[in-house]
């Protein structure tokens, strides 16, 4: 809890991925029953006589006739005893391994036949204070709802907990524990132990300990299950296009007779927050860490007051204060010779037990002391001198914008988003409020809030003498605690001046000249797409949808992407992706733009695809003109600021540390490079070469494509078509004339899958004993889309066989997976891949298994049942996918005028997938899955001894099935 990564990443896992606060066993009220906040009026809340609660939320988006359902169980790792560490998560796994109505080894297959994919539609997660079971129902008839609720009832009190199944699952969970091990989680555990030595939290990470995972007997599973899985601790959540009386009847039929098997138990004590330590410091060394991270924190017992209007106002004021500190830290990180790579202030509560306020800095290890000084002094500057009117205005505008965005999109929230929102509200004992009510309340309250209120809130949070300084990462110090404390005290003795008053910035790019003329227009009526060509050869693709209310997505595709990459300047692709957008505009830095657009919903993203550059943003109807102006200015007047180059190069050491010393980094660089025959566009060059890239080179490379490269713009969502054409005409339509067609790039399109060797191991030094086994089978490109779709389905069947053989039968790995990749840029290039996370000694056993499983498909053929189980979830996903703006933005509309086959692919998608025959997949397996051209690989760690002071830990936060 004492690095930003620890604090904020944990919040993402625990609070965003569902935190939990201590429940009350006896009364079991809904939070809104004890609050002056009103719940969302569409929600139907209920309670059975046995204490089980339920909530039903009617919703038709994105697709009618579907629902997301959850079983929330108020039981997590904090309920475990010392000899049960890892039990709550282990028990979640056992829910998939046999129950009264679902025999062991049949549950996944049963739901696949109903159109629900394993992982995507049937899943679960466990955290410190909860276990949540999840189903995405493709239908909402009585049969499907009954099936889902039967499973949830079995989860509550019908698990069989077979001894053989428990023993088989041990290896899977140990593999998951290994997959989650990292230097970041080791630092996190050390931070917890330092921050809360008298608390239960550092002793109860959900993944558990290896010795208890290996040794827990069946009776201890039964003990935990019967003690904590009770009706009073359970909530059924249903969000979707459902008949409310039907759902209520089915919940009552399935759960009314449930009862606590050994009574209801009070929560475990979480211990206490240690107070009275004064100023303390700790260094936790992990030399493989990509950087050094510093946190200065105040850790206090949390206020146990419930959710209310006043509490939300207090939280808003505190967030405004941190937001203003962050404005300053953002600018300081970009200054020349800044000691920090990034810095941030934060605050959060956990479980109504601990309240945390902190300021964080990330730096190179040699910069730890000036980085500590910067964090300490900027926090103190705010505490002593407060905030300027300009800072306060920006913070209010930014905060209100976030609340308004949620309100504008409330009517097109997806079922899963709603269901998971109820889980978050339950976990943190918050009222599930209507976003429009939130907006009205915040608009009213912001009028009364002052900058002085924010200063008072910040001072209250930091009041007291208990300050903890935690440094984690690639740093070694002699007499670390004393050295850190001396540096902190020296910094604290230096005076800090009041912040400078900022001047108001005005956007300099609101008028681009005479609007362009439309010279061609084509209505693609069956797909409801409009294609426009302006006189300057800028092309526009429009689609009005109702999938996201008050939301518009914009993408500007231009040039050739990686096809245009200069071979004599390796590393230019990652350099450009990191630096171009961060350079801002000629007349505005990124911090200027943040201030200018604080009240508007605009954004800018830059990506380099295989065959195109993309500038993208997400906005709303009111701010579409500002979004288009910002993107057009980014294209026509990029800033190429030195601060962007500095930040990139400051972070290079951290980047290469990950690329060279983590399995994931090696996968991203060396493995991806190998399967692309070490093409310079898909690998990172040596560290020294990457450091040679310059803004001058970047400008020389991008300028021709920015100036006149072929361009197509996509705008889709909640748009007015004619108004959108006018706005594009007034921005991109004014630009100088552009190329009227895309170059062929014949030479640049040449890409080959490696001819050999047939097996290859890549070794890397690390302290993390995690390895990967991989297999690749070369296939073909995407341009024969019928073949590609069948190979996708074949990949699903191979994935299912990997699950059955390697995970379920052998228990060797937590997450074996397979999928197909086909290029629409490089002719003839595609591959099927399989991979698994393993212990190093398992790699040589599993590599040939991939080939054997593939050969089994060739020899035995695909059964009718596994064909159905692969196809049905895919068909259900296609229906939902076509009701998602992201599908149209990434698969159909971009460059659809120069690549009209994308429209044909869209037209044929559902019918073609529906018409796939099992025999076609058998033929493709024979063509591509033979061993003659396959390549197996191992990613093998060469283990280093951990340096003194380095910790060993498993992943924190929530863990999933």
């Amino acid at each position: 809890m004492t690095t930003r990564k620890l604090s904020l990443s944990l919040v993402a896992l625990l609070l965003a991925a569902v935190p939990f606060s201590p429940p009350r066993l006896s009364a079991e009220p809904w939070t809104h029953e004890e609050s002056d906040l009103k719940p969302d009026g569409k929600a139907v809340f209920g309670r059975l006589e046995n204490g089980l609660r339920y909530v039903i939320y009617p919703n038709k988006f994105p697709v009618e006739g579907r629902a997301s359902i959850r079983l929330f169980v108020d039981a997590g790792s904090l309920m475990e005893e010392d000899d049960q560490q890892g039990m709550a998560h282990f028990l979640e796994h056992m829910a998939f391994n046999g129950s009264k109505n679902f025999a062991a080894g049949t549950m996944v297959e049963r739901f696949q036949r109903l159109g629900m994919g394993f992982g995507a539609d049937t899943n679960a997660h466990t955290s410190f204070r909860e276990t949540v079971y999840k189903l995405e129902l493709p239908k909402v008839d009585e049969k499907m709802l009954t099936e889902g609720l039967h499973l949830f009832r079995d989860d509550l009190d019908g698990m069989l907990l077979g001894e053989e199944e428990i023993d088989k699952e041990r290896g899977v969970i140990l593999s998951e524990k290994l997959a989650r091990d990292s230097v970041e989680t080791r630092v996190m555990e050390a931070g917890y132990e330092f921050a809360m030595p008298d608390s239960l939290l550092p002793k109860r990470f959900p993944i558990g300990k290896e010795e208890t995972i290996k040794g827990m007997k069946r009776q201890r599973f039964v003990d935990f299950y019967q003690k904590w899985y009770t009706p009073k601790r359970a909530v059924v959540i249903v969000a979707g296009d459902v008949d409310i009386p039907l759902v209520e009847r089915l919940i009552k039929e399935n759960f009314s007779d449930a009862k606590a098997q050994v009574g209801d138990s009070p929560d475990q004590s979480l211990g206490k927050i240690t107070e009275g330590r004064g100023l303390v410091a700790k260094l936790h060394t992990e030399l493989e860490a990509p950087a050094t991270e510093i946190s200065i924190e105040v850790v206090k017992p949390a206020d146990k007051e419930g959710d209310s209007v006043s509490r939300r106002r207090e939280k808003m004021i505190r967030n405004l204060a941190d937001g203003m500190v962050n404005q300053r830290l953002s600018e300081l990180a970009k200054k020349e010779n800044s000691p920090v790579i990034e810095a941030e202030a934060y605050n959060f509560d956990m479980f109504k037990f601990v309240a945390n306020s902190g300021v964080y800095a990330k730096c190179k290890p040699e910069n730890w002391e000036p980085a500590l000084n910067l964090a300490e002094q900027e926090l103190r500057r705010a505490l002593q001198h407060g905030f300027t009117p300009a800072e306060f205005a920006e913070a209010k505008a930014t905060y209100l914008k976030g609340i308004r965005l949620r309100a504008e999109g409330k009517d097109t929230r997806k079922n899963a988003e709603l269901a998971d929102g109820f889980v978050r509200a339950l976990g943190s004992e918050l009222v599930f409020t209507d976003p429009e009510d939130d907006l009205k309340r915040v608009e009213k309250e912001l009028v009364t809030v002052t900058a002085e209120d924010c200063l008072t809130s910040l001072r209250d949070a930091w009041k007291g003498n208990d300050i903890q300084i935690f440094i984690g990462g690639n740093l070694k110090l002699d007499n670390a605690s004393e050295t850190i404390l001396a540096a902190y005290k020296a910094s604290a003795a230096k005076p800090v001046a009041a912040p400078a008053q900022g001047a108001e910035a005005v956007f300099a790019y609101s008028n681009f000249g005479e609007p362009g003329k439309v010279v061609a227009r084509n209505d693609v009526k069956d797909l409801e797409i409009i294609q426009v060509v302006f006189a300057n050869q800028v092309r526009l693709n429009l689609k009005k949808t109702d999938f996201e209310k008050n939301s518009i997505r914009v993408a500007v595709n231009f040039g050739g992407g990686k096809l245009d990459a200069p071979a004599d300047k390796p590393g230019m692709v990652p350099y450009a992706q990191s630096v171009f957008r961060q350079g801002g505009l000629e007349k505005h830095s990124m911090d200027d733009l943040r201030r200018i657009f604080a009240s508007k919903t605009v954004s800018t993203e830059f990506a380099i695809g295989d065959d195109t550059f993309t500038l993208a943003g997400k906005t709303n109807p009111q701010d579409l003109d500002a979004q288009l102006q910002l993107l057009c200015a980014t294209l026509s007047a990029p800033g190429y600021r030195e601060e962007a180059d500095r930040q990139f190069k400051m972070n290079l050491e951290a980047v290469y540390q990950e690329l060279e010393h983590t399995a994931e980094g090696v996968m991203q660089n060396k493995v991806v490079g190998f399967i692309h025959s070490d093409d310079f566009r898909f690998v990172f060059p040596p560290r020294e070469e990457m450091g040679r890239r310059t803004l001058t080179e970047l400008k020389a490379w991008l300028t021709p494509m920015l100036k006149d490269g072929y361009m197509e713009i996509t705008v889709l969502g909640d748009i007015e078509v004619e108004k959108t054409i006018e706005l594009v005409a007034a921005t991109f339509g004014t630009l100088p004339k552009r190329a009227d067609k895309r170059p062929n790039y014949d030479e640049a399109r040449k890409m080959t899958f490696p001819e050999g060797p047939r097996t290859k191991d890549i070794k890397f030094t690390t302290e993390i004993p995690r390895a990967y086994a991989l297999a690749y089978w070369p296939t073909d490109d995407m341009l024969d889309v019928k073949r590609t779709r069948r190979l996708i389905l074949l990949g699903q069947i191979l994935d299912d066989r990997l699950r059955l053989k390697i995970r379920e039968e052998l228990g060797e790995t937590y997450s074996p997976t397979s999928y197909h990749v086909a290029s629409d840029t490089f002719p003839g290039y595609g591959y099927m891949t399989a991979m698994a996370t393993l212990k190093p000694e398992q790699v040589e056993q599993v590599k040939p298994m991939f080939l054997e499983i593939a050969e089994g498909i060739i020899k035995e053929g695909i059964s009718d049942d596994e064909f159905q189980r692969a196809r049905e979830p895919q068909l259900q996903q296609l229906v939902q996918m076509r009701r998602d703006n992201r599908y149209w933005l990434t698969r159909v509309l971009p460059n659809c005028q120069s690549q009209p086959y994308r429209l044909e692919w869209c037209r044929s998608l559902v019918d073609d997938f529906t018409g796939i025959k099992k025999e076609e997949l058998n033929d493709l397996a024979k063509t591509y899955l033979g061993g003659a051209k396959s390549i197996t690989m191992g990613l093998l760690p060469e283990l280093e001894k951990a340096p003194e002071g380095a910790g060993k830990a498993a992943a924190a936060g929530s863990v999933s099935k």
Side-chain angles (χ1 to χ4, degrees):
M1 196 173 70
T2 47
T3 71
R4 195 287 300 260
K5 266 197 182 275
L6 183 149
S7 298
L8 298 189
S9 295
L10 184 66
V11 171
L13 288 168
L14 296 180
L15 302 180
V18 198
F20 197 81
S21 47
R24 296 148 296 189
L25 273 179
S26 54
E28 296 299 333
W30 291 101
T31 308
H32 61 262
E33 293 173 341
E34 298 182 330
S35 173
D36 55 357
L37 288 162
K38 293 181 180 179
D40 191 313
K42 286 182 65 177
V44 177
F45 297 90
R47 181 186 293 105
L48 304 184
E49 290 185 5
N50 59 9
L52 182 138
R53 291 175 292 162
Y54 63 86
V55 58
I56 306 167
Y57 197 95
N59 182 61
K60 294 181 181 293
F61 275 85
V63 181
E64 294 182 358
R66 301 195 176 201
S68 298
I69 66 175
R70 306 286 186 264
L71 175 66
F72 179 98
V73 182
D74 168 18
S77 60
L78 289 174
M79 281 76 168
E80 297 163 356
E81 297 180 17
D82 286 343
D83 68 338
Q84 292 177 318
Q85 292 182 65
M87 173 65 77
H89 172 241
F90 203 140
L91 195 63
E92 171 222 307
H93 277 240
M94 293 309 300
F96 293 77
N97 283 284
S99 62
K100 291 178 181 178
N101 293 293
F102 298 84
T106 66
M107 190 279 287
V108 171
E109 291 81 358
R110 184 163 162 179
F111 280 100
Q112 284 175 332
R113 295 181 192 108
L114 296 173
M116 301 161 66
F118 179 59
D121 302 313
T122 60
N123 214 322
H125 78 252
T126 303
S127 189
F128 281 116
R129 296 300 300 263
E130 77 199 24
T131 305
V132 181
Y133 300 92
K134 314 172 188 182
L135 290 175
E136 303 298 325
L137 302 183
K139 298 178 183 177
V140 290
D141 56 23
E142 184 168 350
K143 179 180 178 181
M144 182 69 77
L145 287 165
T146 299
E147 192 87 355
L149 293 174
H150 275 170
L151 177 64
F152 283 177
R153 175 59 194 271
D154 276 11
D155 292 337
L156 182 62
D157 62 8
M159 293 188 208
L160 298 179
L161 301 177
E163 196 155 354
E164 181 179 348
E165 280 69 35
I166 289 173
D167 288 340
K168 284 170 56 178
E169 198 69 17
R170 295 185 201 273
V172 173
I173 292 176
L174 288 171
S175 175
E176 180 177 356
K177 178 178 170 65
L178 177 64
R180 296 178 184 278
D181 191 10
S182 68
V183 294
E184 289 82 7
T185 57
R186 295 180 180 194
V187 172
M188 185 183 294
E189 183 172 86
Y192 265 74
E193 292 173 348
F194 174 62
M196 296 183 293
D198 298 317
S199 164
L200 186 63
L201 270 73
K203 305 173 182 66
R204 291 293 185 270
F205 290 103
I207 196 64
K209 291 189 174 181
E210 183 171 346
E211 54 266 33
T212 52
I213 293 169
K214 286 181 175 179
M216 290 183 293
K217 303 300 183 183
R218 180 183 184 276
Q219 185 56 47
R220 297 302 281 147
F221 286 81
V222 174
D223 294 343
F224 185 94
Y225 188 42
Q226 292 183 346
K227 183 175 183 179
W228 300 111
Y229 276 57
T230 66
K232 284 186 179 180
R233 289 184 175 272
V235 182
V236 175
I237 301 163
V238 179
D241 186 15
V242 296
D243 181 306
I244 293 174
L246 171 64
V247 174
E248 287 193 296
R249 173 171 65 82
L250 293 176
I251 290 173
K252 291 172 183 176
E253 289 176 358
N254 280 280
F255 291 96
S256 290
D257 62 344
K259 59 184 179 181
Q261 298 182 57
V262 294
D264 288 301
S265 301
D267 289 342
Q268 302 274 50
S269 169
L270 299 187
K272 65 178 182 178
I273 298 302
T274 308
E275 297 181 274
R277 292 198 292 177
L279 179 65
V280 291
K282 179 179 176 61
L283 170 66
H284 177 83
T285 299
E286 292 283 353
L287 293 181
E288 287 185 20
T292 295
E293 297 182 318
I294 301 167
S295 289
I296 306 168
E297 292 188 337
V298 171
V299 179
K300 299 179 179 180
D303 190 333
K304 292 180 170 45
E305 182 183 336
D307 193 16
S308 66
V309 171
S310 63
R311 286 289 289 167
R312 292 200 181 184
R313 185 179 190 275
E314 291 170 8
K315 185 67 173 177
M316 176 184 69
I317 292 171
R318 178 58 204 285
N319 288 339
L320 289 171
D322 278 348
M324 288 184 278
V325 175
N326 287 334
Q327 293 171 21
R328 299 177 185 178
L329 293 174
S330 172
E331 296 181 23
L332 288 170
K334 297 181 180 71
K335 287 188 176 296
E336 189 172 4
N337 299 320
S338 173
V340 301
I341 299 170
E342 59 180 277
E344 189 170 2
Y346 54 89
N347 73 90
F348 63 89
D349 298 341
M350 290 174 63
F351 316 144
K352 288 189 177 177
F353 173 69
V354 57
N356 182 291
S357 296
V359 60
Y360 156 89
K362 177 182 177 182
C363 63
K364 294 181 177 181
E366 62 268 25
N367 288 338
W368 76 268
E369 187 169 356
L372 176 66
N373 295 347
L374 183 147
E376 185 277 326
Q377 291 170 22
E378 285 310 309
L379 173 64
R380 186 156 46 91
R381 192 187 317 278
L383 290 169
Q384 288 185 7
H385 300 291
F387 306 106
T388 69
E391 290 173 328
F392 183 53
E394 179 186 342
K396 287 198 300 180
T398 301
Y399 188 88
L400 182 60
K401 178 171 63 177
I403 303 297
R404 183 178 291 117
L405 276 173
R406 289 192 286 275
E408 290 173 346
K410 80 161 202 170
D411 292 333
T412 48
R413 289 174 291 178
K414 295 178 173 60
N415 294 329
E417 179 185 352
L418 287 161
D420 292 338
F422 277 108
V423 168
R424 286 191 293 273
L426 283 165
S428 49
E429 288 193 21
L430 295 174
V431 178
F432 189 89
T433 48
D434 185 321
E436 289 186 350
D437 290 346
D438 293 339
L439 177 60
K440 292 175 184 176
R441 186 185 67 256
V442 169
E443 286 178 328
K444 181 179 179 181
E445 290 173 347
L446 273 177
V447 175
T448 67
V449 175
T450 66
E452 188 63 30
D453 292 331
C454 297
L455 176 58
T456 300
S457 176
L458 192 68
R459 286 174 173 171
D460 287 345
W462 285 90
K463 190 180 298 181
N465 297 318
D466 287 347
I467 296 177
Q468 303 177 354
I469 306 166
F470 183 85
I471 301 181
N474 55 354
L475 174 68
K476 293 186 73 175
L477 293 173
D478 294 330
N479 302 315
S481 294
E482 294 82 356
T483 302
I484 295 167
L485 289 174
Y488 181 85
K489 290 174 182 177
S491 175
K494 297 176 181 178
V496 291
Q501 299 290 325
E504 183 179 356
V506 178
F507 192 50
Y509 301 94
S510 57
N511 188 344
F512 292 87
E514 186 69 22
K517 303 296 184 183
V518 173
V519 296
R521 175 168 173 159
N522 176 39
D523 287 13
V524 185
K525 293 183 178 179
D526 61 323
L527 298 178
E528 298 179 323
I529 292 170
I530 296 172
Q531 298 175 324
V532 172
V533 182
F534 293 96
N536 63 353
Q537 293 300 322
V538 167
R539 286 161 165 76
L540 171 63
N541 305 308
L542 297 164
K543 183 174 175 65
K544 181 178 176 63
T545 71
D546 60 0
F547 309 153
E548 296 173 317
K549 189 174 180 181
N550 291 309
S551 178
I552 298 173
R553 295 176 186 260
V554 182
V556 182
N557 292 94
F558 64 95
K562 292 177 183 175
L563 294 176
D564 266 319
D568 62 337
K569 294 179 178 59
M572 186 60 80
V573 170
Y575 180 75
Q577 291 202 141
S578 297
V579 170
F580 177 73
R581 187 180 73 89
Q582 292 300 323
L585 304 179
E586 288 179 355
K587 297 181 181 180
H588 301 301
S589 69
M590 287 296 288
D591 288 303
D592 292 336
L593 294 173
R594 187 199 70 227
R595 287 188 287 269
I596 290 168
F597 292 110
S599 64
K600 293 185 180 295
T601 302
V602 298
S603 61
T604 308
E605 299 297 333
F606 177 67
I608 304 177
D610 286 354
D611 69 345
T612 190
F613 297 91
T614 303
L615 277 171
K618 187 176 180 182
T619 186
N620 56 31
Q622 297 90 338
D623 296 329
L624 178 58
D625 56 344
Q627 177 69 78
L628 291 170
Q629 289 169 7
L630 176 59
L631 291 175
C632 190
T634 304
L635 185 93
S636 58
Y640 299 111
R641 278 180 161 70
E642 290 293 337
E643 63 193 38
D645 178 75
R646 283 197 303 269
Q647 285 195 297
F648 175 78
K649 288 174 179 173
M650 280 184 66
N651 204 38
L652 271 185
E653 187 174 328
V655 169
Y656 276 81
Q657 180 77 359
E658 292 193 21
L659 290 175
E660 294 167 1
H661 296 287
T662 69
E664 293 72 23
V666 173
M667 184 91 70
Q668 179 186 357
N669 189 27
K670 292 185 178 180
V671 174
V672 169
F674 174 75
I675 63 173
H676 287 89
S677 297
D678 292 322
D679 188 294
F680 74 96
R681 295 167 291 188
F682 293 88
V683 296
F684 285 75
R687 163 72 176 81
E688 296 75 17
E689 182 64 32
M690 179 66 85
R692 296 189 185 104
R693 299 287 70 84
T694 67
L695 290 171
T696 301
E697 294 174 337
L698 178 62
K699 186 174 183 179
W701 177 37
L702 293 184
T703 295
M705 290 169 284
L706 292 167
K707 182 179 179 182
D708 57 19
Y710 179 87
M711 177 185 291
E712 291 192 33
I713 301 169
T714 295
V715 185
L716 80 157
D718 193 359
I719 63 173
E720 296 179 25
V721 170
E722 301 306 324
K723 178 64 174 177
T724 301
I725 294 173
E726 290 178 14
L727 293 174
V728 175
T731 49
F732 292 92
T734 69
L735 298 175
K737 191 171 183 179
R738 307 189 71 86
D740 62 356
K741 63 180 180 180
R742 294 161 57 90
N744 291 328
Y745 295 109
D746 290 337
E747 284 299 313
R749 290 184 187 276
K750 292 180 180 178
M751 175 71 66
T752 60
F753 197 83
E755 292 295 326
R758 299 269 66 82
T759 185
K760 178 181 177 67
D761 288 339
I762 298 176
K763 297 181 179 181
F764 58 101
T765 56
T766 182
E767 297 169 23
I768 309 297
R770 180 169 64 251
Y772 280 86
L774 305 103
Y776 292 91
W777 296 264
T779 56
D780 216 321
D781 60 48
M782 190 188 289
L783 297 181
D784 182 344
V785 75
K786 291 171 68 73
R787 175 185 61 211
T788 298
R789 290 165 179 164
R790 284 146 182 81
L791 284 168
I792 289 171
L793 205 56
L794 180 60
Q796 294 298 312
I797 289 169
L798 179 56
D799 181 85
D800 199 52
R801 289 206 181 188
L802 293 177
R803 174 185 64 84
L804 290 169
K805 181 69 176 179
I806 300 177
R807 173 175 170 146
E808 305 295 350
E809 183 179 328
L810 298 181
E812 295 288 355
T813 181
Y814 162 65
S815 56
T817 187
S818 176
Y819 54 88
H820 181 254
V821 173
S823 175
D824 61 356
T825 300
F826 304 105
Y829 187 81
Y831 56 85
M832 187 79 72
T833 186
M835 65 182 67
T837 310
L838 302 162
K839 296 177 180 178
E841 61 269 22
Q842 295 173 319
V843 169
E844 288 307 309
Q845 175 192 5
V846 172
K847 281 198 298 186
M849 290 176 64
F850 289 146
L851 305 186
E852 292 166 8
I853 292 169
E855 288 287 348
I857 296 176
I858 295 171
K859 293 176 181 178
E860 303 159 13
I862 298 165
S863 70
D864 290 339
D865 180 60
E866 65 182 339
F867 176 70
Q868 177 192 354
R869 290 190 291 106
R871 187 179 64 172
E872 289 306 311
Q874 189 71 47
L875 290 176
Q876 296 299 334
Q877 290 171 18
L878 292 180
V879 175
Q880 188 155 315
M881 185 174 71
R882 289 171 66 89
R883 294 277 300 168
D884 191 320
N885 281 339
R886 290 170 296 183
Y887 162 71
W888 296 93
L889 186 69
T890 58
R891 307 284 186 87
V892 183
L893 290 167
N895 290 323
C896 67
Q897 295 190 42
S898 62
Q899 299 170 339
Y901 52 80
R902 294 188 177 278
L903 303 182
E904 294 304 320
W905 289 358
C906 177
R907 290 186 178 102
S908 64
L909 180 64
V910 174
D911 287 344
D912 192 21
F913 260 106
T914 304
I916 294 175
K917 306 297 183 186
K918 179 184 69 173
E919 292 73 22
E920 295 176 290
L921 304 193
N922 284 328
D923 290 342
L924 286 172
K926 293 173 184 176
T927 301
Y928 294 113
L929 292 188
K933 293 185 177 181
S934 63
I935 293 174
T936 58
M937 300 181 68
L939 268 62
L940 297 170
E942 294 183 319
L943 300 181
E944 295 179 326
K945 183 179 179 181
E948 185 178 352
K952 300 290 183 181
S958 59
V959 287
S960 302
K961 176 68 177 172

